[in-house]
Amino acid sequence: MVALQVTFLTGSIAARREDDDRAVEWPPHPARLFAALAAAFFEGNEDSTERVALEWLEAQGPPEIWAAGSAGTPRRLEAFVPANDRDVLKSITDPL
């Protein structure tokens, strides 16, 4: 058995459920946790022992999840993300 304890460094998670964008993903999806572990590996010193552990974890079957706590009530954050409007991008990149 492998057990993971997750601590959010900012004290919260910014992940929504795929089926309901007003709900927090809880517990975090196993793929999200694996991606975080892989990111830590690749941003670190890429130790060969850690690589073997990640490859072992990757080869395991679907996890059985036991999660304590709850996600609570999500707090909506306003954010601006510019659209990839091709007409606008073309006008910026095309010379006059």
Side-chain angles (χ1 to χ4, degrees), residues 15-95:
R16 67 172 179 83
R17 283 185 20 195
E18 189 173 320
D19 62 339
D20 181 356
D21 67 354
R22 293 172 288 155
V24 175
E25 178 186 81
W26 186 257
H29 193 281
R32 186 182 300 278
L33 294 176
F34 185 81
L37 292 171
F41 169 75
F42 287 110
E43 290 175 4
N45 61 3
E46 298 188 29
D47 180 270
S48 62
T49 305
E50 292 174 5
R51 176 180 286 279
V52 170
L54 274 176
E55 290 172 347
W56 175 85
L57 185 59
E58 179 182 35
Q60 300 309 298
E64 180 176 325
I65 300 172
W66 294 18
S70 68
T73 304
R75 181 176 52 126
R76 302 285 294 183
L77 298 176
E78 294 294 325
F80 173 74
V81 178
N84 292 328
D85 188 325
R86 293 175 191 254
D87 293 332
V88 171
L89 292 175
K90 185 172 173 38
S91 70
I92 293 171
T93 57
D94 282 348

